[in-house]
Amino acid sequence: MAAVTADQKTQRTAGAVDPADAARTAAFDATVAADDRIEPRDWMPEAYRASLVRQMAQHAHSEIIGMQPEANWITRAPSLRRKAILMAKVQDEAGHGLYLYSAAETLGTSREELLDKLHAGRQRYSSIFNYPTLTWADVGAIGWLVDGAAITNQVPLCRCSYGPYARAMVRICKEESFHQRQGYELLLALSRGTRDQHEMAQDAVNRWWWPSLMMFGPPDDASAHSAQSMAWKIKRHSNDELRQRFVDICVPQAEALGLALPDPDIRWNEERGQHDFGAIDWTEFQEVLKGNGPCNEQRLTQRRTAHEEGAWVRDAAAAYAAKHPAPPTHPGQSAQPAPSPQTAQGTQPEEETA
Amino acid sequence: MTAALALGDDALVLSHRLGEWAGHAPVLEEEVALANIALDLLGQARVLLSLVGDEDELAYLREERAFRNLQLVEQPNGDFAHTIARQLYFSVYQHVLYGELAAGRGPFADLAAKAVKEVAYHRDHAEHWALRLGDGTAESHERLQAGLDALWRFTGEMFQPIEGVDIDWQALRTSWLGAITDVVERATLTVPTGPRSGAWAAGAGRQGLHTEPFGRMIAEMQHLHRSHPGASW
C-alpha cells in the first residue's frame, strides 16, 4: 500500500506542469540510475525524503534502544575483560545512534523531533530489542546473531543512493563486524566451557534464532516499502534474499560453535545451492511490532524515563550556554552536551563537507 | 602490594558505578562520555590489580571487607548532579595524585604517566559539567550543591597516606582543595563545610570498612562469576 502511494506521488511530481520540476526529477532519476549519490542539497522527491527519514530514524532508534538489553549485563559481566568489551560495545551503539541522527538531520528533521516520535511510539525500532536478555550467554547470542543479521542488512546500505546514510553505514559496519566476532568468540568460550556454560549458550541460541530471522522484515510479498526502496536504490536486496543469505552464513558457524540451530527443517538444498529452513512465526512478529512483545513496554518506558529525568540537565546546559557563549577553544573536544534547541537557533544544521 | 590494591579498587568500583548509567544518561553524548570514563577506569583497574595477582580473582572473589577502595567511589549514582559531584571530587584527586606519581620514580610512575592523560579528560568533563550545572538553572544549581554537600564527608579519606605511595599527602590535599574551590566558586556554588571523615572514620575504606550500598553492589558484580566456580569466560 505505502509503496503504491509513494509511486503515485513521484509520478505526479514527474508529470507536473512546471518544467523545472520535470528537469529536477529527471536529474534525480539519472543520478540514481548511474549509481551516483544523492546529497543533502540535491533535489529529491518528497516521498524519497520521507522514506529515508523513516528508515534512518528507525535505524538510529534501534541503536539506542538496543543498548538496553546488553547494558542489562554490564554490572554482571563475569570477567573484567568481558566487562570492558561489553562497555565498549554499548558505547559504540550510542555513537552509532549519534551518526545516524546526524545523517537523518541532513534531510531537514532534528534529533529532538525524532526522539519525540520514538517516545510517543510514532516511530519504530527493530523488533529484536523487545526480547529480554536472561543470561550472560544472551550477550554472545546478540553479538553473533543479532549483529550478524544487522551486518547482513547493512553492508548493502553502504552503497545506498543517499550519500550521508551510505557513509554512516561504512563507519558503522566496521565496528559492527568487530562486535559480531566478539559475540561469536564469547559463545565459543561458553560452548567449550563447562556443561552449564554450554547449556547456557545453547539456550540463548534457541531463544534468539527466530527473532534474528525476523529482523529482515516481513516476507517479500508482504513488505510495504520494499519495491519502492529498491527502485530508489535505498535497498539493494529484498528481505527474503538477505534472510536466506544470513541462514546460509549461520549454518556452518553454528556447526563450528558446536551449537544447534533450533530448526529441524534446516537442510542443504542441492538444487538451489542454499539452505531450506522452517517457517517463521509471523504472528509473533506482528504481535511484537504492535507493542505486545516481552519487553516493548519496558524498553520504551526506560527510554522515556531517561529522557524525562534528563530534561533538567539539558535545560542547565542550554541556560549555561546562553549565559556563556562558548569560545571555540577546544575544537577537537567530543564530549560537549547536545546543542539545545535554544542555542541551535539561527545556526544552520551542520553540512556534510564535500 | 596494598597500594596497587587501593588504587585499583578505586578505579574498579567507580568504573562499575559509571557502568550503571548505560542506557539511562540524560543525552546520548553522555552515554558515550560516561561509558568512556568507565572504560578508562576499568583499564586502569586491570593493570593495577594484575600487579597484585589475578585480576578476576581479585575483583570477583574477594569479600566486601577485603576491598580497599575509598568510600567516595562506592556511593550510589543518585541523580546526574550527584554523579558529577562524585566525578569532580575523584577525578581532581586522581589527576593530582597521578600527576605526582608520574613525576616520581616509584613503582606506579609508568602506569600514572599513561593514566594521567585519561584522567585529565575525566577532570575536564567533570569540571565542565560542574560549571554548566552550577551556573545553569536554579534547579541544576540546587541539585549540584546538594550532591557536593552530600559527598563532602567522604573526601577526607582521599588524603590518608597509602602505604607504598611515596608522595607529599599534605601538598596533595592542598592542591586538591585549591582546585575544587576554584571550580566550585566559578560554578557559583559554595564549597561545603563540615566534617570530612566519612562513615566510621577517615581511612575506613582503605581498611575494608565500607558503607552499606557497597555490599549490594559487589553482590551484583560477583554473582555470575561466583555461580560457576573455576569456569573461564
Side-chain angles (χ1 to χ4, degrees):
Chain A
M1 275 299 278
V4 174
T5 318
D7 247 346
Q8 286 168 343
K9 241 189 204 161
T10 320
Q11 281 163 11
R12 241 196 336 270
T13 316
V17 214
D18 188 348
D21 270 358
R24 283 186 305 208
T25 308
F28 173 83
D29 290 344
T31 305
V32 171
D35 267 342
D36 283 340
R37 296 279 159 79
I38 304 294
E39 295 298 338
R41 275 170 286 195
D42 294 342
W43 181 87
M44 62 189 85
E46 272 317 300
Y48 176 83
R49 186 185 297 275
S51 186
L52 274 170
V53 169
R54 179 186 56 76
Q55 184 174 337
M56 290 163 77
Q58 176 168 334
H59 196 160
H61 298 333
S62 300
E63 295 285 355
I64 59 167
I65 296 282
M67 295 167 70
Q68 291 183 29
E70 294 178 286
N72 184 36
W73 281 91
I74 286 179
T75 54
R76 292 175 289 169
S79 74
L80 297 186
R81 174 171 166 263
R82 292 292 178 198
K83 186 172 183 165
I85 290 171
L86 184 56
M87 272 185 184
K89 181 180 179 186
V90 173
Q91 183 193 16
D92 281 349
E93 281 159 2
H96 296 172
L98 284 169
Y99 296 161
L100 287 162
Y101 285 122
S102 301
E105 284 182 338
T106 64
L107 292 163
T109 180
S110 70
R111 195 207 304 186
E112 288 74 18
E113 188 183 344
L114 297 177
L115 282 174
D116 285 346
K117 285 182 179 161
L118 168 66
H119 299 152
R122 287 166 51 215
Q123 280 177 344
R124 282 179 175 156
Y125 55 88
S126 178
S127 61
I128 193 81
F129 301 118
N130 294 312
Y131 291 87
T133 46
L134 301 177
T135 72
W136 170 250
D138 291 30
V139 172
I142 289 180
W144 176 42
L145 294 173
V146 175
D147 293 346
I151 293 163
T152 309
N153 254 330
Q154 291 169 9
V155 165
L157 286 174
C158 298
R159 295 184 294 126
C160 156
S161 61
Y162 187 57
Y165 195 21
R167 288 188 288 273
M169 291 322 303
V170 171
R171 299 175 69 178
I172 290 173
C173 283
K174 282 183 195 160
E175 293 180 351
E176 291 289 3
S177 308
F178 189 58
H179 299 159
Q180 200 242 354
R181 282 200 295 277
Q182 287 172 328
Y184 183 88
E185 193 257 333
L186 190 165
L187 277 185
L188 190 65
L190 294 181
S191 177
R192 294 181 176 171
T194 65
R195 180 194 296 200
D196 282 352
Q197 286 177 307
H198 182 90
E199 276 174 17
M200 193 193 278
Q202 182 62 60
D203 171 61
V205 169
N206 292 349
R207 285 181 288 109
W208 288 93
W209 172 250
W210 291 107
S212 300
L213 292 190
M214 294 177 198
M215 285 175 70
F216 296 93
D220 292 348
D221 51 19
S223 177
H225 304 291
S226 278
Q228 183 60 72
S229 287
M230 285 176 74
W232 277 328
K233 296 188 180 167
I234 296 174
K235 269 181 93 153
R236 295 288 182 151
H237 309 279
S238 79
N239 295 351
D240 287 332
E241 273 170 44
L242 291 169
R243 188 168 12 245
Q244 179 70 53
R245 187 177 298 178
F246 179 66
V247 171
D248 290 334
I249 291 169
C250 286
V251 169
Q253 290 180 343
E255 241 164 70
L257 276 174
L259 297 170
L261 295 173
D263 178 357
D265 296 329
I266 288 191
R267 64 179 56 82
W268 179 250
N269 182 321
E270 196 67 53
E271 252 168 64
R272 295 200 298 127
Q274 292 172 321
H275 291 87
D276 291 335
F277 55 97
I280 291 171
D281 182 354
W282 292 114
T283 317
E284 175 180 321
F285 178 69
Q286 291 304 333
E287 280 304 306
V288 176
L289 280 192
K290 272 190 269 174
N292 302 324
C295 298
N296 297 59
E297 183 60 39
Q298 177 192 330
R299 300 284 185 245
L300 212 49
T301 299
Q302 179 177 328
R303 182 87 265 296
R304 281 192 201 115
T305 306
H307 191 74
E308 282 160 18
E309 287 181 354
W312 69 270
V313 178
R314 297 189 298 275
D315 290 347
Y320 181 82
K323 283 188 230 177
H324 306 269
T329 44
H330 302 289
Q333 215 154 344
S334 59
Q336 298 298 321
S340 71
Q342 289 97 313
T343 52
Q345 260 173 19
T347 321
Q348 281 297 103
E350 217 168 282
E351 300 277 2
E352 287 284 321
T353 39
Chain B
M1 199 81 157
T2 346
L5 213 51
L7 301 179
D9 284 350
D10 284 350
L12 177 73
V13 170
L14 186 56
S15 167
H16 185 96
R17 284 296 188 207
L18 292 174
E20 293 173 354
W21 269 104
H24 299 274
V27 284
L28 272 177
E29 284 81 353
E30 283 306 298
E31 295 284 2
V32 177
L34 295 173
N36 203 326
I37 296 168
L39 264 172
D40 286 344
L41 290 168
L42 185 54
Q44 294 165 15
R46 294 180 66 190
V47 174
L48 286 158
L49 294 182
S50 297
L51 294 174
V52 184
D54 178 272
E55 60 176 33
D56 286 335
E57 270 178 40
L58 288 164
Y60 291 101
L61 299 175
R62 268 183 302 159
E63 309 235 339
E64 184 177 340
R65 290 282 282 107
F67 277 84
R68 294 285 176 263
N69 57 281
L70 297 167
Q71 291 182 344
L72 175 70
V73 295
E74 74 201 29
Q75 295 312 305
N77 290 333
D79 66 6
F80 186 72
H82 199 84
T83 290
I84 290 299
R86 193 182 59 198
Q87 282 306 111
L88 181 68
Y89 288 158
F90 184 74
S91 63
V92 171
Y93 163 75
Q94 218 189 7
H95 191 232
V96 288
L97 173 64
Y98 281 11
E100 284 294 311
L101 291 175
R105 262 173 292 146
F108 302 113
D110 287 350
L111 165 98
K114 186 167 171 278
V116 78
K117 294 176 200 151
E118 297 169 347
V119 177
Y121 159 76
H122 305 172
R123 176 177 173 173
D124 190 62
H125 174 262
E127 289 187 352
H128 275 95
W129 271 114
L131 295 176
R132 284 187 204 108
L133 299 182
D135 196 12
T137 63
E139 181 182 5
S140 67
H141 178 92
E142 222 168 276
R143 284 182 187 250
L144 183 56
Q145 187 68 59
L148 292 169
D149 291 348
L151 294 168
W152 181 250
R153 56 197 289 250
F154 297 107
T155 58
E157 113 174 290
M158 297 192 287
F159 310 103
Q160 294 289 316
I162 300 170
E163 206 187 312
V165 178
D166 186 23
I167 56 160
D168 181 345
W169 289 92
Q170 192 51 45
L172 188 75
R173 188 179 185 281
T174 309
S175 352
W176 181 85
L177 192 59
I180 293 293
T181 304
D182 174 58
V183 181
V184 169
E185 286 176 355
R186 278 194 292 136
T188 74
L189 296 162
T190 312
V191 178
T193 49
R196 301 171 61 196
S197 55
W200 298 83
R206 295 284 186 229
Q207 298 163 38
L209 294 166
H210 294 279
T211 56
E212 285 182 348
F214 183 59
R216 199 164 285 109
M217 191 206 100
I218 64 166
E220 181 174 342
M221 180 172 97
Q222 297 181 338
H223 162 260
L224 178 59
H225 185 97
R226 283 182 181 273
S227 303
H228 298 264
S232 50
W233 300 93

